[in-house]
Amino acid sequence: MNRRRNKKNSFSLSFYLLAAVVALASVCFAKMKPSAGETEPTTAIAADAPVSEASTSSDEGGAGKESAQNGDAENTELCIPHYESSRGGQVIYHTGYTVSYDSDFKTPQWVGWTLTAEKAQGTVPRYNKFAPDPEVRGAQAYDTDYRGSGYDRGHIAPAGDMKWGEDAMRESFYLTNVCPQNRNLNRGDWKELEELEREWALQYGSVSITAGPIYSTKQPQRIGANHVAVPDGFFKVLLVGYPKSPKAYGFVYKNEAGSRPMKSYQLTVDEVESITGMDFFPALPDNVENRIEAEKPSL
């Protein structure tokens, strides 16, 4: 704070006032300075985390939580796509997965997670209690929206991939990780691909996965009091063998009953990008990304 001095005061008075101010400042500084053995307070600054370009907001501190509990920061980054949506999206970091949530459709836009060989051998029991996501800011789905709808509460990141931790298992049942899914698909061909994820995690050491719903119209069918949008289909892309011998797999399933060979659902990742408008595996070197996304590896 600035203080005005009276210029008519004598030099002596000014000198003593100045001395008093200096003495007072010294006392205040001594009180503020930490004593021996004390630690000066610090402000925690979270490291930058990859987010969807469609995101209008992100979960504060979530990236730190995710990295600390998973220890898979590099692999986690691989499963985060670049995506722009006119409806925006809230990116939320959970223990076992990252989700971009669409509060208009009340379903995820995409969910990304990395499954390692160690995690694939987890033994945590299935939680089996669906619940609203406490991190959502805005409208969201509730379990009652699915009752009597004729659709399963279809996991995007499957509970079977989250047996490595109780928090990971519990959070996989948040409805931000769920879509209305044809019952036959959920328990049949889609489940078969989920089981393959775990086999590949054991075979390759890890698999980075991004999956989500596909909507072919801006006015999809809705269910429940909160008008949860019913997808027309689902996509899933998987990266294995990175960095030594990377391969990328793409799949698209219609949201309908069927029992077909997995190969009939397989596309190149480039083709899945064309359908979804998303850029998958953007953290890869461009030459690697361009090459593996144009290929269709054998199953």
Side-chain angles (χ1 to χ4, degrees):
M1 179 181 294
N2 293 325
R3 298 176 181 270
R4 294 183 178 179
R5 294 194 180 93
N6 188 337
K7 293 183 179 179
K8 293 183 180 180
N9 288 342
S10 65
F11 173 81
S12 178
L13 179 58
S14 299
F15 176 82
Y16 286 120
L17 286 173
L18 179 59
V21 171
V22 171
L24 180 60
S26 298
V27 172
C28 292
F29 178 78
K31 290 182 177 181
M32 293 173 62
K33 184 177 181 180
S35 60
E38 291 183 341
T39 302
E40 291 194 38
T42 58
T43 301
I45 301 177
D48 289 339
V51 297
S52 164
E53 293 186 5
S55 173
T56 55
S57 60
S58 62
D59 177 41
E60 296 180 3
K65 165 187 170 184
E66 209 254 15
S67 296
Q69 294 187 4
N70 286 359
D72 295 327
E74 182 178 354
N75 286 336
T76 298
E77 186 178 1
L78 292 172
C79 62
I80 305 299
H82 285 165
Y83 179 53
E84 296 181 2
S85 170
S86 60
R87 295 189 303 277
Q90 181 188 352
V91 176
I92 305 172
Y93 299 88
H94 286 307
T95 305
Y97 64 93
T98 303
V99 56
S100 179
Y101 188 66
D102 186 334
S103 61
D104 179 4
F105 282 7
K106 294 18 172 244
T107 59
Q109 294 171 325
W110 54 262
V111 180
W113 69 105
T114 293
L115 183 65
T116 65
E118 181 180 3
K119 290 178 178 179
Q121 299 176 74
T123 59
V124 173
R126 184 178 173 91
Y127 183 68
N128 216 30
K129 294 181 181 178
F130 292 90
D133 191 330
E135 301 295 333
V136 169
R137 297 189 294 271
Q140 64 174 310
Y142 289 83
D143 193 33
T144 53
D145 291 316
Y146 286 81
R147 294 176 187 170
S149 68
Y151 290 94
D152 272 7
R153 295 160 296 189
H155 282 82
I156 300 301
D161 288 6
M162 304 296 163
K163 292 182 177 181
W164 50 271
E166 292 183 359
D167 286 343
M169 173 61 72
R170 176 177 54 82
E171 292 172 0
S172 74
F173 282 84
Y174 286 156
L175 290 165
T176 45
N177 182 42
V178 169
C179 289
Q181 192 169 44
N182 177 276
R183 185 164 299 169
N184 175 273
L185 174 63
N186 183 37
R187 305 176 190 189
D189 291 358
W190 186 255
K191 181 181 178 182
E192 183 182 6
L193 182 56
E194 293 174 341
E195 292 170 346
L196 181 62
E197 294 165 16
R198 294 184 277 278
E199 291 178 15
W200 279 352
L202 295 173
Q203 178 181 348
Y204 293 100
S206 71
V207 51
S208 294
I209 309 158
T210 312
I214 296 172
Y215 293 95
S216 59
T217 175
K218 294 182 179 180
Q219 296 181 333
Q221 176 189 349
R222 305 270 187 159
I223 61 170
N226 293 288
H227 307 291
V228 180
V230 178
D232 295 295
F234 298 91
F235 72 88
K236 182 170 285 188
V237 296
L238 307 96
L239 174 67
V240 300
Y242 183 78
K244 293 183 178 180
S245 301
K247 293 187 290 185
Y249 293 82
F251 299 90
V252 168
Y253 293 72
K254 289 185 178 181
N255 194 10
E256 62 184 22
S259 180
R260 303 179 181 88
M262 187 179 297
K263 189 175 182 179
S264 68
Y265 299 109
Q266 186 184 6
L267 301 173
T268 67
V269 172
D270 278 342
E271 290 172 324
V272 181
E273 288 182 332
S274 179
I275 293 170
T276 63
M278 298 183 188
D279 177 18
F280 301 111
F281 313 128
L284 291 175
D286 287 344
N287 61 326
V288 175
E289 180 186 0
N290 292 337
R291 175 178 60 81
I292 65 175
E293 291 185 353
E295 299 172 347
K296 186 188 288 186
S298 60
L299 290 169

